[in-house]
């Protein structure tokens, strides 16, 4: 790795540049570059009426908080001061960091100082892991960019905005809900606002590997497909891929588009395939001219054959659980490797080899930790319930979130399913919207399966028939059902499921609520016994479904939701977890664990 950066107590010495600030395509594997985390204490100002952005007639004002203005004379009127405002740990959500903001949805401004100095021949990217939801960024009072979407990373080239000495980043974050957003106004999880994931200053050379992909094409031929794209359209640059453990190295030359692609043949017969039983990752080095970048990549194949899912050519039953990206033991947005390890360890104890990361892309450490632990992943964008299907801006928003989810994680071996939606009502407009998303996902990455959580809409007495036009776009038919919760649990033994597609089936949700420690008869709602019986009846029912290839019951642990208001039972928690929010196991946990032991 090249050593150009100097560290000082208050920040990082970074380069100056003459190029304009702009949002640039997402940097693949940002962790591989020399960078400085800007996590820590950020000053914040709560701006309920957005007076820091608009004047009293709701027109954008040039005198906004982004100027970080200070009085120059005793008579100057400036009605904010970041330096005198309280601080909040970043990354975090403001709902759990400030009790006054527990239910708050609106605008909060954040400010952080750091040191920089001019350096030649390098660039600076300001990288955000995620900000929920609408985010404007200024550096030294000048606009760096704007981003919409609460769960995907983005980066700005801020090289020309840096000054020699102390620099100031100001971020306006707005998590208000709107009908045209993705997700829309109504969703069943907590709308945690804030800078919820890592913030980095990343040093790159003027020419760098913007994106690359390395995938196993064939087990039989032991061929790897490789592609890469530079940040500029320049030909003649040498890109070298090296996997020392496999004694493999190959050089490529960029074309006029600044891209390379080709096949690498693994000569060694000892290629170890990634699987839940053997989560093997290889050290991979990618060189561009004189620069070298490192990654850890596993190799496996995923495909379907009739009603089976095949991992590395062999049928696999996906023993899964759904998980929200919420901290264990107390709530708040999960954002660390420790959070990920705790949640995934609970899943492993349950017997899982698969998790559905619902209903939006989780933080990167969650995916990487699952990869190390041998857990397969379903990754999803928040096209949830009733999206504004006819709004072009809504579609473009969803498309961008899908693009950035895939861009960040397409080299992670454990991700086997890209999911494009959850529980969406049927209509021709919806079919067009989702059909286009499915085709776009496949154009970006044809090495994984496409799915979505459908709804069963055709029911006659005890016959449930899945009938969804999206069947033609997905590789795996997945649907949610809540027999026993929204319908009498005694109906479960009588149920017959008709799934008229020759494709594998995943039951992407089932379950019911129980408060940990609340006991009673099995027909008494909210008791652990009620949930336990619901799982017993449902699992017996699911065993009869033709083509069942996996399940991801709802959900691993209780999570916060403003829709769950029943005092003494819910208290703003969805209680469908198999564990309490503090990790206490409910009786149904052991029912599912025992069933998975038979699979």
């Amino acid at each position: 790795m090249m050593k150009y950066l100097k560290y000082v107590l208050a920040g990082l010495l970074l380069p100056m540049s003459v190029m304009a600030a702009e949002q640039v395509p997402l940097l693949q594997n940002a962790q591989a570059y020399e960078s400085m985390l800007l996590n820590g204490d950020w000053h914040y100002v709560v701006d309920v009426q957005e007076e820091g952005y608009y004047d009293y007639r709701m027109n954008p004002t040039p005198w906004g908080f982004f100027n970080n203005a200070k009085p120059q004379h005793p008579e100057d009127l400036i009605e904010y001061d970041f330096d005198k405002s309280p601080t909040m740990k970043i990354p975090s959500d403001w709902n759990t960091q400030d009790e006054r903001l527990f239910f708050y949805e609106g605008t909060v401004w954040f400010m952080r100082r750091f040191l920089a100095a001019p350096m030649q021949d390098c660039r600076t990217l300001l990288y955000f892991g995620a900000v929920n939801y609408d985010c404007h960024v200024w550096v030294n009072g000048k606009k760096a960019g704007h981003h919409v979407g609460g769960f995907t990373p983005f980066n700005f080239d801020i090289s020309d905005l840096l000054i020699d000495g102390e620099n100031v980043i100001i971020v306006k974050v707005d998590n208000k809900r709107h009908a045209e957003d993705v997700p829309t106004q109504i969703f069943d999880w907590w709308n945690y606002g804030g800078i919820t994931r890592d913030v980095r200053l990343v040093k790159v050379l003027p020419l760098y590997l913007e994106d690359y992909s390395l995938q196993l094409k064939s087990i039989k031929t032991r061929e790897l497909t490789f592609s890469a794209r530079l940040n500029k359209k320049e030909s003649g640059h040498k890109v070298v891929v090296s996997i020392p453990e496999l004694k493999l190295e190959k050089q490529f030359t960029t074309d006029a588009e600044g891209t390379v692609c080709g096949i690498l043949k693994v000569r060694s017969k000892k290629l170890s395939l990634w699987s839940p039983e053997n989560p093997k990752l290889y050290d991979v080095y990618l060189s561009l001219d004189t620069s070298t970048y490192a990654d850890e990549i596993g190799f496996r194949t995923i495909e379907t054959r009739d009603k089976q899912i095949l991992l590395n050519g062999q049928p696999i039953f996906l023993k899964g659980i759904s998980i929200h990206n919420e901290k264990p033991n107390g709530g708040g947005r999960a954002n660390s490797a420790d959070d990920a390890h705790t949640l995934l360890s609970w899943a492993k104890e349950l017997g899982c080899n698969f998790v559905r990361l619902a209903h939006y892309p989780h933080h990167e450490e969650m995916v990487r930790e699952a990869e190390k632990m041998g857990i397969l992943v379903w990754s999803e964008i928040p096209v949830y319930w009733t999206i504004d299907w006819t709004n072009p801006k809504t579609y473009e928003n969803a498309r961008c979130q899908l693009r950035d989810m895939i861009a960040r994680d397409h080299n992670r071996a454990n991700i086997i399913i890209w999911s494009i939606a959850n529980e969406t009502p049927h209509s021709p407009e919806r079919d067009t919207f989702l059909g286009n998303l499915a085709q776009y996902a496949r154009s970006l990455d044809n090495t994984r399966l496409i799915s979505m959580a459908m709804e069963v809409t055709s029911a006659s007495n005890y016959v449930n028939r899945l009938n969804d036009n999206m069947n033609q776009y997905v590789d795996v038919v997945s649907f949610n059902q809540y027999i026993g919760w929204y319908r009498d649990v005694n109906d479960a033994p009588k149920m017959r499921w008709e799934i008229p597609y020759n494709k594998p089936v995943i039951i992407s949700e089932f379950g019911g609520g129980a408060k940990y420690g609340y006991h009673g008869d099995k027909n008494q709602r909210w008791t652990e016994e009620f949930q336990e019986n619901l799982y017993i009846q449902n699992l017996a029912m699911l065993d009869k479904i033709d083509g069942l290839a996996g399940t991801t019951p709802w959900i691993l642990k209780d999570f916060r939701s403003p829709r769950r208001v029943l005092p003494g039972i819910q208290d703003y928690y969805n209680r469908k977890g198999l564990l309490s929010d503090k990790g206490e196991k409910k009786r149904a946990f052991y029912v599912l664990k025992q069933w998975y032991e038979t699979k």
Side-chain angles (χ1 to χ4, degrees):
M1 299 294 291
M2 298 157 294
K3 304 297 181 183
Y4 288 101
L5 299 182
K6 293 182 180 179
Y7 294 88
V8 294
L9 287 176
L12 178 66
L13 299 181
L14 293 166
M16 299 291 288
S17 173
V18 295
M19 291 184 64
E22 60 177 339
Q23 183 167 344
V24 293
L26 187 66
L27 179 67
Q28 170 71 200
N29 192 21
Q31 299 176 359
Y33 292 77
E34 289 192 71
S35 64
M36 177 184 178
L37 281 173
L38 291 182
N39 297 347
D41 293 328
W42 289 54
H43 292 276
Y44 70 100
V45 175
V46 181
D47 189 7
V48 177
Q49 295 193 8
E50 296 188 282
E51 63 175 331
Y53 192 75
Y54 298 106
D55 64 20
Y56 72 105
R57 298 189 186 277
M58 290 304 293
N59 297 311
T61 174
W63 315 113
F65 291 180
F66 46 82
N67 289 302
N68 193 32
K70 301 294 182 183
Q72 301 301 308
H73 306 94
E75 66 272 20
D76 288 348
L77 176 62
I78 297 175
E79 297 183 277
Y80 69 96
D81 190 330
F82 281 108
D83 293 301
K84 294 181 180 178
S85 297
T87 61
M88 182 181 299
K89 293 293 183 183
I90 298 298
S92 67
D93 58 90
W94 63 58
N95 310 84
T96 58
Q97 295 298 301
D98 185 337
E99 62 182 10
R100 300 172 302 167
L101 303 178
F102 185 68
F103 288 105
Y104 182 66
E105 294 181 323
T107 289
V108 176
W109 296 78
F110 294 90
M111 185 274 283
R112 164 73 192 253
R113 300 178 185 276
F114 65 97
L115 295 184
M119 296 183 70
Q120 295 181 347
D121 300 325
C122 55
R123 319 264 327 138
T124 302
L125 303 184
L126 177 57
Y127 181 99
F128 291 86
V131 178
N132 191 35
Y133 171 78
D134 188 298
C135 164
H136 294 263
V137 180
W138 292 264
V139 176
N140 298 321
K142 296 180 180 179
K143 191 67 173 284
H146 175 221
H147 181 266
V148 174
F151 304 99
T152 50
F154 56 97
N155 41 231
F156 304 115
D157 185 336
I158 63 168
S159 304
D160 72 318
L161 303 184
L162 297 173
I163 61 176
D164 187 357
E166 185 175 78
N167 289 254
V168 176
I169 296 175
I170 291 178
V171 183
K172 176 184 181 291
V173 183
D174 186 351
N175 74 329
K176 289 192 295 292
R177 293 164 293 120
H178 304 95
E180 67 274 16
D181 287 348
V182 182
T184 187
Q185 285 178 307
I186 300 174
F187 44 89
D188 190 15
W189 66 84
W190 204 267
N191 188 25
Y192 291 114
I195 303 173
T196 56
R197 297 177 187 166
D198 290 343
V199 185
R200 297 175 181 270
L201 289 171
V202 183
K203 193 275 305 186
V204 296
L205 292 178
L207 188 71
Y208 59 89
L209 280 177
E210 188 172 80
D211 186 69
Y212 58 87
S213 176
L214 186 61
Q215 308 284 339
L216 175 62
K217 179 181 180 181
S218 168
I219 298 173
K220 183 177 180 180
T221 63
R222 299 194 302 280
E223 290 179 330
L224 306 179
T225 60
F226 175 71
S227 62
R229 182 181 70 247
L230 308 185
N231 64 310
K232 297 179 182 179
K233 295 182 179 181
E234 293 186 7
S235 62
H237 294 279
K238 305 301 181 184
V239 176
V240 178
V241 183
S242 173
I243 309 176
E245 189 174 346
L246 295 176
K247 299 180 180 179
L248 178 64
E249 182 171 301
K250 187 167 183 178
Q251 178 176 290
F252 301 85
T253 303
T254 60
D255 59 19
E257 295 297 309
T259 63
V260 299
C261 63
I263 299 293
L264 291 81
K265 179 74 173 181
V266 180
R267 302 298 178 186
S268 171
K269 295 182 179 180
K270 296 181 180 180
L271 177 64
S272 184
L273 301 181
W274 188 100
S275 70
E277 298 76 25
N278 177 46
K280 170 65 177 177
L281 299 176
Y282 286 92
D283 290 329
V284 176
Y285 300 94
L286 301 107
S287 298
L288 169 62
D289 297 335
T290 60
S291 308
T292 301
Y293 313 92
D295 204 346
E296 291 181 298
I297 298 178
F299 303 112
R300 56 97 189 100
T301 61
I302 190 71
E303 58 191 319
T304 64
R305 181 177 60 205
D306 298 327
K307 296 188 176 184
Q308 292 181 318
I309 295 175
L310 306 180
L311 177 68
N312 298 326
Q314 300 299 316
I316 185 172
F317 186 84
L318 300 176
K319 299 181 283 187
I321 193 71
S322 296
I323 305 178
H324 259 300
N325 197 203
E326 189 173 273
K327 284 181 176 292
N329 306 315
R333 181 63 66 218
N335 52 35
S336 71
D338 287 343
D339 292 339
H341 186 79
T342 298
L343 293 167
L344 294 168
S345 293
W346 291 344
K348 289 281 281 190
E349 187 176 354
L350 184 59
C352 295
N353 62 8
F354 178 56
V355 291
R356 178 189 179 202
L357 301 184
H359 284 291
Y360 41 76
H362 288 211
H363 66 299
E364 186 172 3
E365 288 77 10
M366 188 72 166
V367 176
R368 287 180 176 267
E369 190 69 18
E371 186 179 43
K372 294 174 184 176
M373 295 174 68
I375 300 176
L376 297 157
V377 165
W378 158 315
S379 189
E380 186 166 287
I381 57 172
V383 176
Y384 183 93
W385 290 357
T386 310
I387 293 293
D388 189 353
W389 305 115
T390 61
N391 189 328
K393 290 184 178 180
T394 302
Y395 174 76
E396 185 59 26
N397 184 344
R399 191 175 187 271
C400 289
Q401 293 191 47
L402 180 61
R403 176 200 65 201
D404 291 340
M405 174 179 73
I406 294 174
R408 191 191 73 180
D409 290 334
H410 63 78
N411 284 311
R412 305 281 64 84
N414 59 329
I415 294 184
I416 58 171
I417 292 176
W418 300 124
S419 172
I420 57 173
N422 176 77
E423 288 184 357
T424 51
H426 297 192
S427 71
E429 295 78 13
R430 168 266 202 180
D431 293 345
T432 298
F433 188 109
L434 295 184
N436 288 337
L437 281 184
Q439 292 174 318
Y440 181 56
R442 210 176 298 280
S443 74
L444 295 175
D445 180 13
N446 62 5
T447 69
R448 289 173 173 83
L449 308 177
I450 305 296
S451 192
M452 57 178 283
M454 301 174 179
E455 291 183 306
V456 177
T457 57
S458 177
S460 176
N461 294 326
Y462 298 107
V463 177
N464 292 286
R465 182 177 177 83
L466 187 65
N467 183 19
D468 196 315
N469 292 334
M470 285 300 296
N471 77 86
Q472 62 185 304
Y473 295 101
V474 299
D475 301 298
V476 179
V477 175
S478 307
F479 65 92
N480 302 345
Q481 65 83 19
Y482 280 95
I483 305 299
W485 190 247
Y486 300 118
R487 182 165 175 168
D488 189 349
V489 71
N490 296 310
D491 289 346
K494 308 170 190 175
M495 284 293 170
R496 183 161 60 90
W497 298 88
E498 294 183 355
I499 305 168
Y501 313 118
N502 188 34
K503 296 183 177 183
V505 174
I506 293 176
I507 308 303
S508 38
E509 290 182 28
F510 73 90
K515 184 174 182 179
Y516 172 76
Y518 183 45
H519 295 286
D521 192 78
K522 67 180 182 180
N523 64 0
Q524 184 179 351
R525 195 175 287 264
W526 302 114
T527 64
E528 288 192 44
E529 287 75 12
F530 183 97
Q531 187 190 47
E532 176 186 42
N533 184 56
L534 183 153
Y535 267 78
I536 291 171
Q537 299 300 327
N538 268 263
L539 294 175
M541 176 185 68
L542 299 186
D543 271 330
K544 301 174 184 177
I545 294 179
D546 181 41
L548 185 68
T551 66
T552 51
W554 195 257
I555 185 169
L556 179 66
K557 79 168 192 73
D558 295 346
F559 62 94
R560 283 191 167 125
S561 171
R563 297 175 62 83
R564 310 299 173 172
V565 300
L566 182 62
I569 296 293
Q570 293 173 315
D571 299 319
Y572 298 105
Y573 273 93
N574 186 311
R575 296 296 184 187
K576 292 187 178 72
L578 293 175
L579 299 95
S580 74
D581 181 59
K582 295 179 172 55
E584 300 154 319
K585 299 179 183 65
K586 304 175 190 178
R587 295 169 68 103
F589 179 97
Y590 300 100
V591 175
L592 183 61
K593 177 179 173 65
Q594 183 176 16
W595 189 68
Y596 277 160
E597 289 172 354
T598 68
K599 296 297 178 183

